[in-house]
Amino acid sequence: MAQDATPRTRIETDSLGSMEIPADAYWGIHTARALDNFPISRRPISVYADLVKALAMVKQASARANKEIGVLDAERADLIDRAAQLVIDGQFHDQFVVGVIQGGAGTSTNMNANEVITNIALELAGREKGDYAYLSPIDHTNRSQSTNDVYPTAIKVGLSLDLKSLLEELDLLRRSFLAKAVEFHDVLKIGRTQLQDAVPMTLGQEFHGFATTLGYDHQRLKENAYLLYEVNMGATAIGTGITTHRDYAAAVVRHLRGITGLDLATADDLVESTSDTGSFMSFSASLKRNAIKLSKICSDLRLLSSGPQAGFGEINLPAQQAGSSIMPGKVNPVIPEVVNQVAFAVAGADLTVTMAVEGGQLQLNAFEPVIAHSIFQSITWMRRAMRTLRVNCVDGITANRERLGAMVGSSVGVITALTPFIGYSAAAALAKTALLTGHSVADLVVEAGLMSREEVTKQLSPARLSGLESITEAIPIVRDETPVDIDAAETDAEPAAERVDHV
């Protein structure tokens, strides 16, 4: 039986020696050493597709800049350009195999990109993988570059690309809450402060508040995106631009702007920009803000849907799966719960970023890999969490209208709406009576002769109770015309209420 003559490996050599590389691999010896050295996360950088695309965009921009300024011949530059475009288009991502956590400040990631793009280019030229005498990963694909400017720039570009999809999902979630606000605009309920009954509002107002806070987060994230637009391409090793042509920095950023569509700019101080990673910390903090606020919303949804019999039971979340292996019929709020957990992870990742930023030394921060992994993971998980929250929870929420109506009807909290007319002390006394006797607040106010039935009915209308209609015909009740110190009144409500003429 004839044996297959196709070689299964090829030999590649670096400054440390030689290694056998799988013949069909587009990566080479530098990547192979990283695979041996960093079997940590078991997650390749290809899990973050936008980071891989960004690496290819940087290589493409560099090839075009090097060609323009005459430090790389057109034939090789064009091959690198074409190869990079294939990666940008989504091909060969499985060849980006180094782990997301690695030593070396990202050198393994940069070399993985150099080797893959070089070997793609070699095949485009009709040559064998590993023919580095013709096209070298370092001398040609990495011309005018260093890991120390390529890697942070690729992270910033990749995060900017990833952020677009996150913002799209965040806006869809905001709109979903807004649609529920419209649907529930006439559903009266009792608001709560410190988990105690407060004053009436509508369920629509509550959901509108959720939509508004997500809208604010959308704005903050967009604003913080600009922190990522300052890059240090042309800095090479430490910011001095050693090994680069004087025209390279301006050319490469101009080409990168055209390729990415981002408003990128060269940092004013390349030495500072190469060593400082503060922009990543600020951006991570904005992600944490969004995650924590979203988690608070999800905790509210869990409370509002608690029960269904012995809890709040104000809203019904879509039933997504059986909730217990022992309690028949139990259904848990699994979607808000998973979003809570994502928020906890994002908060932890933000602390990791903070510590890694602080850990930088002198002219470089060696911990950018864990910074990149932490932020990319946060964006990825948040985007997925927002989608499942929207599709599998918010869109299907219904209001328990009968229960809410009964709760409002029996609540003493509605008496707050009458305090401008009967005074705080009288309202407090009647509220206590209502709680003890179970009598209607409206009936007690009328029986006490404090307001007519018509006046009570008007002031306790859903529009007035929820604040959708302002009080414009308040009955004057205070005899003392002395100007009131607002700050003092905030902390001295009881003595002020004693001046009510009905008491």
Side-chain angles (χ1 to χ4, degrees), residues 6-14 17-36 95 97-98 111-112 115-116 119 128-132 137:
T6 303
R8 296 183 178 181
T9 62
R10 66 179 187 267
I11 303 296
E12 291 196 13
T13 302
D14 65 2
S18 298
M19 291 183 69
E20 287 191 356
I21 306 299
D24 60 349
Y26 287 84
W27 44 266
I29 188 170
H30 295 278
T31 301
R33 293 199 188 281
L35 292 174
D36 288 343
Q95 298 297 308
V97 295
V98 299
M111 286 308 304
N112 194 166
E115 290 172 340
V116 170
N119 281 308
E128 297 293 329
K129 298 184 188 73
D131 186 4
Y132 299 150

Side-chain angles (χ1 to χ4, degrees), residues 112-424:
N112 194 166
N114 286 332
E115 290 172 340
V116 170
I117 290 173
T118 297
N119 281 308
I120 296 171
L122 285 169
E123 283 195 338
L124 291 174
R127 295 174 178 269
E128 297 293 329
K129 298 184 188 73
D131 186 4
Y132 299 150
Y134 173 74
L135 186 66
S136 165
I138 295 177
D139 291 334
H140 301 122
T141 305
N142 200 59
R143 177 67 61 86
S144 305
Q145 303 154 62
S146 164
T147 294
N148 301 348
D149 56 2
V150 167
Y151 190 59
T153 297
I155 294 172
K156 290 179 177 180
V157 170
L159 289 175
S160 298
L161 298 176
D162 225 14
L163 181 61
K164 290 182 179 180
S165 57
L166 176 68
L167 290 174
E168 289 171 0
E169 200 59 63
L170 177 56
D171 190 56
L172 289 172
L173 181 60
R174 181 191 67 82
R175 292 172 182 271
S176 183
F177 275 109
L178 199 57
K180 288 298 170 181
V182 174
E183 180 181 343
F184 302 148
H185 76 280
D186 61 342
V187 182
L188 207 60
K189 60 162 286 179
I190 295 297
R192 298 178 180 84
T193 58
Q194 294 161 275
L195 291 180
Q196 304 300 303
D197 295 349
V199 297
M201 65 186 301
T202 68
L203 190 61
Q205 288 173 315
E206 193 162 28
F207 274 74
H208 192 280
F210 296 155
T212 299
T213 199
L214 294 179
Y216 290 151
D217 280 344
H218 191 282
Q219 294 173 19
R220 297 294 88 76
L221 285 168
K222 284 184 67 176
E223 291 168 2
N224 279 299
Y226 289 99
L227 296 170
L228 305 175
Y229 289 177
E230 183 182 86
V231 298
N232 70 328
M233 286 303 294
T236 61
I238 63 171
T240 61
I242 192 170
T243 74
T244 62
H245 188 280
R246 62 180 178 274
D247 297 328
Y248 171 78
V252 71
V253 171
R254 174 164 38 79
H255 284 293
L256 194 55
R257 277 200 301 268
I259 292 166
T260 63
L262 301 173
D263 190 21
L264 304 173
T266 303
D268 293 334
D269 187 330
L270 290 178
V271 171
E272 186 277 338
S273 182
T274 303
S275 62
D276 178 59
T277 50
S279 60
F280 294 128
M281 184 168 63
S282 298
F283 183 71
S284 176
S286 68
L287 289 174
K288 182 182 74 172
R289 167 195 158 117
N290 182 209
I292 296 304
K293 291 174 69 176
L294 186 60
S295 184
K296 190 271 182 188
I297 290 172
C298 286
S299 294
D300 285 354
L301 294 179
R302 289 165 53 215
L303 276 174
L304 294 174
S305 65
S306 61
Q309 294 173 302
F312 285 12
E314 295 187 2
I315 61 174
N316 308 299
L317 306 185
Q320 297 297 350
Q321 61 186 59
S324 174
S325 61
I326 187 174
M327 292 172 279
K330 192 171 190 291
V331 179
N332 296 326
V334 293
I335 303 302
E337 286 174 350
V338 78
V339 178
N340 287 136
Q341 293 176 76
V342 167
F344 306 156
V346 172
D350 180 64
L351 178 58
T352 297
V353 171
T354 300
M355 297 304 297
V357 169
E358 188 278 334
Q361 297 167 316
L362 303 177
Q363 278 68 61
L364 185 66
N365 189 310
F367 308 117
E368 287 181 356
V370 76
I371 291 174
H373 166 57
S374 298
I375 303 179
F376 274 110
Q377 176 178 277
S378 292
I379 289 183
T380 301
W381 286 15
M382 285 176 62
R383 181 178 65 248
R384 294 170 181 171
M386 288 175 188
R387 186 180 189 283
T388 196
L389 180 62
R390 172 174 57 87
V391 173
N392 295 319
C393 182
V394 178
D395 285 347
I397 290 175
T398 58
N400 198 338
R401 291 173 181 261
E402 291 185 3
R403 180 177 176 86
L404 287 167
M407 292 170 72
V408 173
S410 62
S411 173
V412 300
V414 298
I415 204 168
T416 302
L418 304 181
T419 55
F421 309 97
I422 67 175
Y424 183 91

Side-chain angles (χ1 to χ4, degrees), residues 20-64:
E20 287 191 356
I21 306 299
D24 60 349
Y26 287 84
W27 44 266
I29 188 170
H30 295 278
T31 301
R33 293 199 188 281
L35 292 174
D36 288 343
N37 291 331
F38 311 124
I40 310 299
S41 64
R42 302 293 184 182
R43 298 180 67 187
I45 58 174
S46 59
V47 298
Y48 304 127
D50 283 333
L51 175 58
V52 173
K53 290 180 181 178
L55 286 162
M57 288 174 171
V58 172
K59 297 299 172 183
Q60 187 178 59
S62 294
R64 293 179 182 180

